[in-house]
Amino acid sequence: MVEFTKSLIAFSNTETFKNIPKTGDFQFFCIDHEEEVEAAIKRIKTLKTL
């Protein structure tokens, strides 16, 4: 999950991602089917700061 989250963060910095229409409150993260949403959000926030 960590490695996929890192790749998702990298993708979020591309022009392709920037060109996707999004709402003002749009969030993205990857989540395992057995984890809570809060854990997935915490992981992406932590990895964005590295």
Side-chain angles (χ1 to χ4, degrees):
M1 294 303 292
V2 170
E3 292 305 314
F4 187 79
T5 300
K6 288 178 182 178
S7 66
L8 188 58
I9 292 167
F11 175 65
S12 73
N13 294 316
T14 66
E15 287 301 313
T16 300
F17 181 83
K18 291 174 186 173
N19 289 328
I20 298 170
K22 299 172 218 50
T23 60
D25 60 350
F26 178 81
Q27 292 184 9
F28 63 93
F29 52 88
C30 61
I31 186 167
D32 186 83
H33 69 281
E34 294 183 359
E35 83 178 318
E36 299 293 326
V37 172
E38 293 79 15
I41 292 172
K42 182 179 178 182
R43 180 176 47 253
I44 199 159
K45 284 182 179 179
T46 299
L47 292 172
K48 278 183 174 181
T49 62
L50 298 179

